[in-house]
Amino acid sequence: MTEVELPRWQLEPEAVVAKVVGVVDPSCAPAAVAGVVERVFRQRPQRRELARLLEADPSLLTSGLPQVPRLVERLIRALAEGGATGLVPPSCAACGRRRPLTATSPNGRICSSCYNRARIEDRRCVECGRRDFRGRDRDGRPRCAKHLPDQDVDPVREITGLLAASTGLERAVLEDAVRQAERSRAGQLRLWWALSDRPDLLTGVGARGPQSVSTLAKILVDRGASGVVIPLCPWCNASTNLVSLREGIRCCSHCWAKSRTAWCARCGRERPVGGHDGEGRAVCVSCRQTDPLNHRRCDGCGEVRIRRRRTADGGGLCPACCTNPYALCATCGAWRPCWFASTPTPRCQPCTAKARHQAVCVRCGQHRRVNNRTADGEPLCSTCGTPPSPCAGCGKTYRISALLPDGRRLCQTCWTKHPSAKRPCSRCGVVARLFHRGMCPECARDRSLREVFAGTSGQVRPELQAVVDTLRALDARTVLRWVHKTPARRAVFRALATATGPVTHQSLDAVADGHVADHLRAPPRRSWSSCRP
């Protein structure tokens, strides 16, 4: 489907909403309405759904019925706060007052007060009818504070009595384990009821009991209990906490996510649902990210791409502009952008890739890191996951580096020569092959040099200005390789930036080993010598 075939409410939802609101209430300026839509509805799918609803039925803005969707109500109330007078917010289906409707009922949406009253009525005590709900009995019926279930029973002692003979642990150890697995009395009662009905829950079938069964089993095994088996996930046989519920049976979170699969409307594969397209059909995560409707202009590079991170001013950054903070990798010891940079164990991208799950590739049969998977979920290595294919430019079979808008595939060499590879720089405006963040190599070099040579004050100290000017005179891509590709050289630059005094060959030898120092003194040799005072 091309952009021309898409309805306007998908392509320009803000403009559609502003137009409909302007027709219903002429006092609302289109620019102000579009601003309210962007401020109130942060997600693009919400804006598209709002535009679709209003385009199909503009009377939702003035009907005042409790069946009005929540999105329309939020828009009406936001515009009313800005001075709109021609819009009518929906009324509560129970009390009829025009209050924020936060819940639903069989007759329509209701306010929080009516919802709380209905909830209290549903929780009347089964014994006396009082409204002070305090819990439920063994059959799930509500109870008040006066008629709590099993008031004279100590559930911890009862559970300990069930386990004392079979586990071989002392009662004090068992009581501490039960309290650690379930702290509340209501939870301890549910655990006691479950173990009383099914004594075999701690022997391997704990997936059919409450979540606290698997927690208690792990605690007992750690303390040396005999006859206790930690329950495994019924679908993947993984020994982990069974925190989710699938088909009435406890399972791990991974198997629960796999149960939420559907046939993707774009690629046709059965994969976990990542979202829905404009027609409400389920799509996978990959197709959702490649859908141009979900792309926005990046505040960093200016390219229209999928947003990965929001900025403080409401904008966003694409994946290429979302660089992780620099830290000392706990695995390799290099100063690189790292995941978990604020923790004691940061990890850079190369070390993260090495730690990726390994398996036997179904195509080549080699035991390698899993980089891709087949449509059936079978593991593929990096080579088999992205196999070489004929290039549309040279006709040779290479690994594809670019995909043109018309679907043609190009290798790295042909892509470098193609006009589509050159775009205007977001800083200087020159049309060139951009390096990163929408900048040409020259602008990227200047920015990287300022970042790497910035001292504790954030400024380049005067003694290093000659070094920066010399590096700026060299080839841009060469300098960028020095700064980004070799951590040892970057560490030398950072050490010079935080040092004091003049920059000489002696100061260079103090912070760099012989190989790095000789490389920096390589031709043109006068470049480093000219930096001496």
Side-chain angles (χ1 to χ4, degrees), residues 11-35:
L11 300 176
E12 301 175 350
E14 300 87 356
V16 172
V17 174
K19 180 180 178 181
V20 175
V21 173
V23 173
V24 176
D25 188 358
S27 63
C28 297
V33 175

Side-chain angles (χ1 to χ4, degrees), residues 16 81 113 124 145 150 182 186 266 278 301 346 443 483 495 498 519 533:
V16 172
E81 293 178 358
S113 299
R124 284 183 177 271
D150 297 318
E182 189 59 74
R266 293 186 179 271
C301 61
C443 293
V483 173
T498 56
H519 189 88

Side-chain angles (χ1 to χ4, degrees), residues 373-395:
R373 290 187 180 274
T374 63
D376 299 331
E378 298 295 336
L380 293 174
C381 64
S382 177
T383 304
C384 298
T386 55
S389 60
C391 173
C394 61

